[in-house]
Amino acid sequence: MQSKFHNKFRNTALLLTVTALSVLLFACSNEASTSAPASENPGNVSVNQASKDTETGKQTSADEDNVGQTRQFKDWTGHTVTVPVTPQRVIYHGEVTGDLVALGVIPVGILRQEGMVFDDQVADSEDVGFPFSVERAVGLNPDLIIFSNSDEAQYDQISKVAPTVTFDSFATLEERMRTLGDLLNKKQEAEDWITAHQTATEQMWKKLRDHGLKEGETASVFTMYPGNRLFVMAGAGLPQLLYGKNGMEPTPEIQKLLNEEMGFAEISTEKMTEIAGDRIFILEPVTDDAKQSTKELMDSAVWKNLPAVKAGKVYHFDIVKASGDAMSREWLLKELPEQMIQ
């Protein structure tokens, strides 16, 4: 059941996505898919069979047999929906399009966010807008719409276009992949991706510890929002990786936010002294005014006196690329050690 905060969190996330500040404010590739063995590239998650099928344009005979068949599916907010067994034309409206891409499903319609690591793969996907454009959706002739929102009024309108299911884009990555694997008839692909991802994540943290990352080190993630507003990230995007299994620790103040299931919180510059960890991660914003605010922050005495800054343990990530979807996670598994190992 979704909390009142989660509702507010989701609406804020979508609004920020539209303003191009990243799905990371809440929330949380092709570049990650290489031929290098996992042992040589711990951050690499192998390309799964779904991706191979997409690239070759082939479809299994089992999938062909399922085309046109339907089944019942109970969605995130409790609707029981008659959906295709093997959807052919999917619209995904939400923050984690990369989850579908990782399963080899390229939606015909998406909530477009420029600058994602998988942009090339969704270049032909239609932007269905924010709010969701029913008119654009009708023109795409979808057989399934996945709607990452709990707004019943919007759902009622959208569900008139095609079978529509709600989807919790702020569930854990593993939960999301399994749900989508079930919904899209990609269960095995989802399990394969999860297994490869878990292995790659373990290898990445081992590599970082082999290069000086100590057990119990704390991390904090900050970003500037237009209007000179400073946010600390907690339960979405990059922090989900940092605070995951075998990873780093949140500081006590960030742990409080996590305990309250908060994705982020606005703070004062002075508050950074209480929140900053042994290592600091900065999500570089998109807009010019937020970039200027970031520069001013780093010129401040508060910033310069933080222990992590003095120790040179500050790392910068593009806020759009460092998102919480599966494809962005693959990218982060490579990018994190590249930045942290000097």
Side-chain angles (χ1 to χ4, degrees):
M1 184 65 66
Q2 186 187 31
S3 66
K4 291 181 180 178
F5 169 77
H6 207 173
N7 258 321
K8 181 178 179 182
F9 179 61
R10 177 172 317 287
N11 292 337
T12 302
L14 287 169
L15 177 60
L16 292 171
T17 299
V18 172
T19 57
L21 277 186
S22 149
V23 294
L24 266 173
L25 262 183
F26 339 71
C28 300
S29 118
N30 214 14
E31 296 176 8
S33 298
T34 72
S35 58
S39 60
E40 295 177 7
N41 185 1
N44 183 48
V45 177
S46 299
V47 179
N48 56 49
Q49 187 61 46
S51 297
K52 293 178 182 176
D53 286 346
T54 299
E55 292 168 0
T56 61
K58 295 180 180 178
Q59 187 179 42
T60 65
S61 58
D63 283 346
E64 291 172 349
D65 291 341
N66 287 327
V67 172
Q69 296 185 14
T70 61
R71 67 185 179 100
Q72 299 296 296
F73 183 88
K74 188 171 183 179
D75 70 11
W76 168 47
T77 53
H79 309 100
T80 298
V81 185
T82 300
V83 301
V85 171
T86 305
Q88 301 296 299
R89 296 183 61 81
V90 179
I91 291 176
Y92 174 73
H93 192 268
E95 307 88 348
V96 291
T97 304
D99 290 1
L100 282 77
V101 176
L103 291 175
V105 176
I106 306 302
V108 296
I110 60 173
L111 172 59
R112 188 166 296 284
Q113 169 75 30
E114 298 293 346
M116 305 297 289
V117 298
F118 52 87
D119 272 1
D120 289 348
Q121 289 154 282
V122 295
D124 294 331
S125 301
E126 182 77 19
D127 182 5
V128 294
F130 179 82
F132 186 102
S133 171
V134 171
E135 182 178 2
R136 293 184 195 176
V138 169
L140 293 172
N141 191 30
D143 59 1
L144 177 67
I145 298 173
I146 305 173
F147 183 51
S148 292
N149 202 307
S150 60
D151 187 316
E152 279 297 312
Q154 289 189 67
Y155 178 87
D156 288 343
Q157 293 299 312
I158 295 169
S159 61
K160 295 174 183 177
V161 178
T164 301
V165 299
T166 58
F167 174 69
D168 184 5
S169 59
F170 292 98
T172 66
L173 180 55
E174 289 78 9
E175 289 171 334
R176 297 197 316 262
M177 294 300 277
R178 287 193 170 103
T179 297
L180 290 171
D182 180 18
L183 179 60
L184 300 170
N185 199 15
K186 299 283 186 179
K187 284 185 178 181
Q188 188 58 56
E189 289 87 342
E191 291 303 325
D192 290 346
W193 189 93
I194 290 169
T195 299
H197 172 260
Q198 290 173 342
T199 299
T201 303
E202 291 172 3
Q203 291 175 334
M204 182 202 70
W205 286 120
K206 181 180 185 302
K207 180 177 181 179
L208 286 172
R209 290 205 157 78
D210 288 345
H211 286 80
L213 179 66
K214 299 179 177 59
E215 292 287 344
E217 280 197 61
T218 57
S220 52
V221 183
F222 299 103
T223 194
M224 296 297 299
Y225 181 69
N228 197 31
R229 300 171 65 189
L230 175 63
F231 286 84
V232 58
M233 306 303 298
L238 177 59
Q240 289 179 321
L241 172 60
L242 296 179
Y243 306 144
K245 183 180 179 182
N246 301 319
M248 303 177 71
E249 301 292 332
T251 61
E253 289 294 320
I254 295 175
Q255 184 61 57
K256 290 178 184 178
L257 298 178
L258 292 171
N259 292 344
E260 296 173 11
E261 298 183 341
M262 294 184 69
F264 58 95
E266 185 172 3
I267 62 171
S268 66
T269 302
E270 291 71 25
K271 187 75 173 177
M272 291 186 76
T273 59
E274 302 174 31
I275 296 178
D278 299 317
R279 297 177 187 256
I280 294 175
F281 298 81
I282 296 292
L283 299 178
E284 295 289 353
V286 173
T287 63
D288 289 340
D289 56 342
K291 289 179 181 178
Q292 179 60 32
S293 295
T294 302
K295 181 179 182 302
E296 293 170 359
L297 171 68
M298 295 180 182
D299 286 338
S300 69
V302 172
W303 172 263
K304 292 178 179 178
N305 284 318
L306 294 174
V309 176
K310 290 182 176 180
K313 295 181 178 180
V314 178
Y315 314 98
H316 297 258
F317 290 85
D318 182 320
I319 192 172
V320 178
K321 287 184 170 61
S323 297
D325 64 90
M327 296 299 284
S328 299
R329 179 65 64 85
E330 292 183 15
W331 178 82
L332 280 169
L333 289 180
K334 292 198 307 180
E335 188 68 14
L336 199 65
E338 285 184 10
Q339 287 214 32
M340 293 181 65
I341 298 174
Q342 302 299 324

